[in-house]
Amino acid sequence: MQRFSSGSLHDFPLQHGGHPLTPMIVRMGASGKRFVMGYATVTRAVVRLEDGMLGYSYVLGRDKAHAERCALIDALLQQPQTHALLTEKVITPLAALRAKSPVRRSASLR
């Protein structure tokens, strides 16, 4: 998979929607009964492109730069001029890697 370099993502003029946040998230079951399934640390980021388009992301862990890159990709996927390129270079290769992963998430939860 061809990777985007960090430098290429920084070529886009953007504003940060505040500093990336790293709160603790509590996951609850869907049954309606109260119980804690587990805790996870996530990092949230919001960016605004020059034209006002917002991109959002939540990523597991504390990697603020990763969260900002994901938010930027989210904003750029909403732009007609960059959507096809990002789909071809990022989304499709990631989907292919996930599809041939030997351990499927649903199988690991059984």
Side-chain angles (χ1 to χ4, degrees):
M1 177 173 88
Q2 183 180 12
R3 294 178 179 236
F4 278 97
S5 69
S6 297
S8 65
L9 289 176
H10 293 293
D11 293 342
F12 294 95
L14 57 91
Q15 301 170 345
H16 296 279
H19 297 290
L21 302 174
T22 307
M24 181 71 79
I25 299 294
V26 178
R27 296 192 46 105
M28 303 295 284
S31 66
K33 298 178 183 177
R34 291 181 176 231
F35 69 97
V36 176
M37 287 183 66
Y39 294 93
T41 301
V42 297
T43 301
R44 172 184 176 267
V46 179
V47 299
R48 180 188 312 267
L49 297 179
E50 207 171 47
D51 67 356
M53 183 64 67
L54 293 172
Y56 302 89
S57 74
Y58 288 85
V59 297
L60 283 174
R62 299 175 186 264
D63 190 343
K64 294 176 181 178
H66 181 179
E68 287 179 334
R69 286 190 302 269
C70 291
L72 175 57
I73 289 170
D74 178 57
L76 292 173
L77 280 168
Q78 298 174 60
Q79 302 288 327
Q81 63 272 27
T82 53
H83 183 273
L85 175 67
L86 286 170
T87 299
E88 176 190 341
K89 300 291 185 184
V90 177
I91 305 301
T92 302
L94 287 175
L97 283 173
R98 184 175 185 191
K100 63 182 184 180
S101 173
V103 178
R104 298 292 305 209
R105 180 182 172 99
S106 61
S108 68
L109 294 176
R110 291 183 191 162

